[in-house]
Amino acid sequence: MKLGIVGLPNVGKSTLFNSLTKAGAESANYPFCTIDPNVGVVAVPDERLKLLGDMYHSKKVTPAVIEFVDIAGLVKGASKGEGLGNQFLSNIREVDAVVHVVRCFEDENVVHVDGTINPLRDIETINLELIFSDIEILERRIAKTGKAARMDKSLAKEAALLDALKAHLEEGKLARNYVTEDEDELALLNSYNLLTYKPVIFAANVGEDDLANEGADNKGVEQVRKFAAESGSEVFLICAQIEQEISELDEEEKAMFLEDLGLKESGLEKLIKASYHILGLHSFLTAGEDETRAWTIKLGTKAPQAAGKIHTDFERGFIKAEVVNYKDLLEQGSLAAAREKGLVGMEGKDYVVKDGDVILFRFNV
């Protein structure tokens, strides 16, 4: 999974990125401090892996990972070259979802590029810059497809879609709000990698006091939640500064720190839940002496395709999947014991893999 982090300057983007990835992206109290896109890979916290790894005495435990891409802060007029322009937006065209960091905290020591705190205005500013960037992409595609469509009538449908989509964006609407049930058009929409077509997770960056009560008294958080609900987006609260402090602690210290703050989970864990939910993902597990590992798949994935995540040969030569829920496996202490209790199923090609399934694939190539 790959997530791109966007936002205005000084909203806590790079501080959040640092805390999530510990990659040390430069962070300072002035705009455009992040000059180059920063990339960091984060392991997805998963207690199931540790427990299974301990049970099997696995030589290696491999979690699922998320790649984060942090780009320079955007400002109004970036598409026309203001600030650093939108030159970095190309770096997040390949991401699966966009994490939009919105400032919902007051701090006179941290300047706001527009002078005042207004989350909805900030969201609109970023959305417009993403729209302008998408229009540029469509214009190039229209120029290319328009010429080819004169010679190839099969491209006429795509040319019509491109024109309609460009008109839709020029009205200030996002690509993901473009309505079509035509499967060919949906496939084309997916192929364009438009930023405003990607799912969005809003990270409402708040102060420590608002974090403890889930932003109950923060009007900005209320506005972001309402906007997210109306646009079909996810939203979670985070205090980037606290996340930075948490990132420097070991697991035991982190648990105590969160407890002292009255929090059940870190911002990273909230973000992972939100991203898995909005992208329709979950994980199955493989376990053994050599390696215990988590594999991220789409909801509804069937056993052969899940096997293909491990190796294409597994999918090509799929015979059966030996499946047990991780809780049952841990309770019984071994796969053999789980088999004896009738807790292990032999599943075929139509089996839909569930979250937390521990699977042993049988195949023949």
Side-chain angles (χ1 to χ4, degrees):
M1 194 194 323
K2 195 171 181 179
L3 303 177
I5 304 178
V6 302
L8 292 170
N10 287 358
V11 297
K13 256 180 358 77
S14 294
T15 303
L16 174 60
F17 175 81
N18 287 348
S19 64
L20 294 177
T21 64
K22 300 182 186 175
E26 188 183 357
S27 174
N29 178 26
Y30 55 91
F32 317 124
C33 150
T34 310
I35 302 298
D36 297 312
N38 292 280
V39 180
V41 177
V42 177
V44 174
D46 194 337
E47 190 187 18
R48 302 173 300 186
L49 284 178
K50 183 185 182 307
L51 296 171
L52 287 169
D54 289 346
M55 190 184 91
Y56 276 96
H57 305 291
S58 303
K59 294 171 187 170
K60 187 163 70 166
V61 174
T62 308
V65 296
I66 297 179
E67 185 175 312
F68 288 99
V69 185
D70 174 39
I71 63 168
L74 297 170
V75 292
K76 190 173 183 179
S79 56
K80 299 181 179 68
E82 292 296 321
L84 289 174
N86 60 13
Q87 56 188 299
F88 299 112
L89 287 175
S90 60
N91 294 297
I92 58 168
R93 288 219 171 264
E94 302 300 322
V95 302
D96 300 301
V98 172
V99 180
H100 184 163
V101 183
V102 186
R103 180 171 169 177
C104 297
F105 67 89
E106 296 278 354
D107 187 340
E108 60 186 24
N109 297 314
V110 181
V111 297
H112 188 291
V113 72
D114 286 328
T116 56
I117 309 302
N118 185 331
L120 290 184
R121 177 201 59 207
D122 295 353
I123 289 172
E124 185 180 349
T125 297
I126 295 295
N127 280 348
L128 281 173
E129 295 311 316
L130 299 183
I131 286 170
F132 291 142
S133 181
D134 281 349
I135 288 173
E136 283 181 24
I137 294 292
L138 289 178
E139 285 174 343
R140 288 201 289 270
R141 188 95 183 195
I142 286 168
K144 183 179 176 183
T145 306
K147 291 177 185 175
R150 295 190 200 111
M151 308 294 291
D152 184 352
K153 294 300 179 189
S154 66
L155 291 174
K157 186 174 184 178
E158 180 179 5
L161 171 65
L162 288 166
D163 287 337
L165 195 53
K166 180 170 177 273
H168 175 85
L169 291 173
E170 285 174 340
E171 291 176 7
K173 298 173 184 174
L174 307 176
R176 63 178 174 275
N177 299 133
Y178 182 84
V179 180
T180 178
E181 293 180 4
D182 186 293
E183 289 188 8
D184 293 337
E185 288 192 345
L186 287 170
L188 285 167
L189 274 167
N190 276 310
S191 72
Y192 296 151
N193 261 342
L194 298 177
L195 293 170
T196 63
Y197 192 64
K198 297 181 185 296
V200 172
I201 303 160
F202 290 103
N205 191 10
V206 298
E208 184 178 330
D209 293 342
D210 285 321
L211 196 63
N213 68 5
E214 284 295 309
D217 303 319
N218 188 311
K219 289 183 180 177
V221 170
E222 186 184 329
Q223 290 174 337
V224 175
R225 281 181 171 146
K226 186 170 183 285
F227 186 90
E230 291 170 352
S231 61
S233 304
E234 293 280 327
V235 62
F236 73 102
L237 258 63
I238 196 163
C239 176
Q241 204 59 51
I242 284 178
E243 287 301 310
Q244 184 119 22
E245 292 176 35
I246 289 173
S247 71
E248 293 162 5
L249 304 175
D250 62 31
E251 287 303 309
E252 191 176 328
E253 290 173 327
K254 184 174 90 171
M256 290 172 61
F257 187 70
L258 288 172
E259 190 178 340
D260 289 343
L261 291 170
L263 303 174
K264 293 179 181 176
E265 55 190 356
S266 69
L268 174 60
E269 288 163 324
K270 289 180 186 176
L271 173 53
I272 288 167
K273 280 185 182 175
S275 55
Y276 269 63
H277 184 256
I278 203 166
L279 293 170
L281 301 173
H282 63 171
S283 298
F284 74 91
L285 313 163
T286 53
E289 190 178 323
D290 286 337
E291 183 183 35
T292 291
R293 182 166 182 164
W295 304 87
T296 302
I297 55 172
K298 285 271 189 188
L299 293 170
T301 299
K302 293 185 177 179
Q305 287 69 50
K309 286 286 288 185
I310 300 173
H311 199 286
T312 51
D313 284 351
F314 282 31
E315 182 176 358
R316 191 158 53 92
F318 179 88
I319 300 171
K320 290 283 182 184
E322 205 167 353
V323 182
V324 58
N325 180 270
Y326 81 97
K327 287 181 181 175
D328 292 334
L329 181 56
L330 288 168
E331 282 172 10
Q332 299 306 315
S334 72
L335 189 60
R339 279 197 199 104
E340 284 179 20
K341 290 285 179 72
L343 298 170
V344 180
M346 291 297 288
E347 306 292 351
K349 292 183 177 180
D350 290 330
Y351 177 73
V352 177
V353 176
K354 301 181 184 67
D355 186 58
D357 278 350
V358 182
I359 307 181
L360 177 63
F361 291 105
R362 302 195 178 281
F363 70 103
N364 182 35
V365 179

